[in-house]
Amino acid sequence: MWNKVKKQQAVDLRLKQPLYKHWILAMVLLLSISGVSNVLASSDLVMEKVYHIYLEEEFIGTVEDEDDYLVFLEKLLEEEQERHSGLTFDFKETIGVIPEFVFIKNANTEQTKEKLAELLTIKAVATALVIEEDEVVYLAEQAAVSQLKKQIVLEQVEEEAFEVYVHSLQEENLLKTNEEETVSTSSSSESDEREPVHTSEKNDTELELELDEKLINSVSFTTDVESKQVLISPEKVKTVEEAMEEIEQGKENQFYYEVKEGDVLGTIASEMNVSIKELLELNEDLDKESVIRAGDKLQIKTLEPYLEIEVVEHSKVEEELDFDIEVKEDSSLFKGEEKVERKGTPGLQHVEYKTVRLNGEMVEREVLNKQVIEEPVSEIVIKGTKERSELAWPADGGYISSHQGKRWGRYHKGIDIARPNSYSIYAAESGTVTAVTSGGGYGNYIRIRHDNGLETLYAHLNSTSVQAGQSVTRGQQIGIMGSTGDSTGIHLHFEVTRGGSLLNPIDYLP
């Protein structure tokens, strides 16, 4: 920097702009001296040049050698650069240099240097990433800021897809440049109307995607993002990795939440995405047992993202097409029974989507095109329409050998089923076994309470295969037909009750 400015009459070393006030003063002095020198041309007096140093337009002192003065300033910067490798430095203050021709040198060079060393503030030259007018992080150079912005974007998109997108933009810019050059060299007789140049966002119809391909259509920061050069303390300059961590952490946002009816600390913490511990630390007048009321205000601190990135991408994927289900009725099947006559097969289609994401979260999805590759095959289901009795037949075939009613001078509480195909006995309906008992007139018997409110009893069994408290299903084998208790032959005595009242089994059996 210094070798570029040392020949100037007055220099703003920070902004590298002339100090016009001092420049005018220097010219006046030079003109005056020029006039005097003509008068004294024949004399032995010799005029010599000195340099007056100003800091923020305040006179500091005079030096007699400009090169020595500039070397001194360079050394101050070099010493700082040695302490902070990888950074460049400059002075925060504006330094002015005014030359003057004098007959007698009255420079105080060393005192001027000492005063400059004491008063000058040396800062690192850095590039600030500015988000919504706030300087968020500082990096050593503009290239580092560009690298940081790329890493931020790569948190939202795949690197390969992003590189393809950047390459396409470069090709479009080249095409735009060629089009502009063509227009600029055209003859004046041609029409002034130009073909529209390509932009970074392609029309949906221009895209030709392969299956499972994803192309980025546009990437943009919806927040205001820029960079600028600043002078700051070197301790504040971060590497790209450190800056990325700070950006990912987000910025603090403190506000007050007004308690609504029905709110408790736990629901508020969950809704605000903070822990109850954090909530109590921010509101010291509360503890876990505190009662909050509607209208109370709680201080909340959350972390919000610094940046909002919008990514528009196009993709082409293969998706299944749902098959329809056709239903046929069959009177030979009971209601609730069904079987699949033909299994359905999904179809296939290729779908092109335009997807908009904000910070990785999908906010919009539009179907651009669909192409059916394979039609689905509908499934055919047969459903029964036959009315089912409330209870299933409890034996393997057989016939009713004795009905409910008066018999041999006593009331017969149920029905008897005899001559079955086999001696297996089945639960007439799903339910819970309430009793498995032996002895007495019933001999070995089982009692089952069903979900429909009915209760059934199975008596004179030879053996049982369930236990009290066990759940059984309709048609499950529960025992073997026998002739235990007051019985004259092998048969099943079957009773049905509801709420303790005896019912006629014939009304509930098929």
Side-chain angles (χ1 to χ4, degrees), residues 99-146:
E100 182 185 5
F101 286 96
V102 296
F103 292 107
I104 300 174
K105 282 188 176 182
N106 58 349
N108 55 344
T109 301
E110 293 306 316
Q111 293 92 329
T112 302
K113 288 181 180 180
E114 290 176 5
K115 195 170 183 181
L116 279 174
E118 179 184 346
L119 297 177
L120 282 172
T121 306
I122 301 177
K123 293 288 187 180
V125 179
T127 302
L129 180 68
V130 183
I131 302 174
E132 298 292 351
E133 300 184 354
D134 290 332
E135 296 178 7
V136 177
V137 290
Y138 304 96
L139 294 106
E141 54 187 356
Q142 180 62 44
V145 173
S146 299

Side-chain angles (χ1 to χ4, degrees), residues 100 139 160 164 179 203 223 267 349 359 366 455 474:
E100 182 185 5
L139 294 106
E160 183 178 352
V164 172
E179 287 177 348
N203 294 327
T223 43
T267 58
Q349 65 177 352
N359 284 357
E366 177 187 354
E455 193 170 60
R474 183 183 178 111

Side-chain angles (χ1 to χ4, degrees), residues 201-208 217 312 314 352 354 366 368:
E201 185 166 352
K202 300 180 180 64
N203 294 327
D204 299 335
T205 55
E206 293 177 356
L207 295 170
E208 294 182 5
N217 188 256
V312 180
H314 290 72
E352 294 181 23
K354 176 182 177 181
E366 177 187 354
L368 301 178

Side-chain angles (χ1 to χ4, degrees), residues 316-366:
K316 186 175 184 178
V317 296
E318 185 174 81
E319 295 181 348
E320 284 192 349
L321 276 171
D322 293 335
F323 55 79
D324 294 329
I325 298 178
E326 299 179 19
V327 177
K328 293 182 179 180
E329 294 183 344
D330 188 338
S331 60
S332 66
L333 296 176
F334 286 110
K335 283 185 176 180
E337 292 182 351
E338 61 179 52
K339 62 181 181 180
V340 177
E341 182 178 79
R342 182 179 72 193
K343 189 173 179 61
T345 305
L348 291 175
Q349 65 177 352
H350 293 170
V351 186
E352 294 181 23
Y353 289 106
K354 176 182 177 181
T355 306
V356 180
R357 302 180 189 275
L358 286 178
N359 284 357
E361 183 178 347
M362 185 172 65
V363 295
E364 183 182 334
R365 196 183 198 193
E366 177 187 354

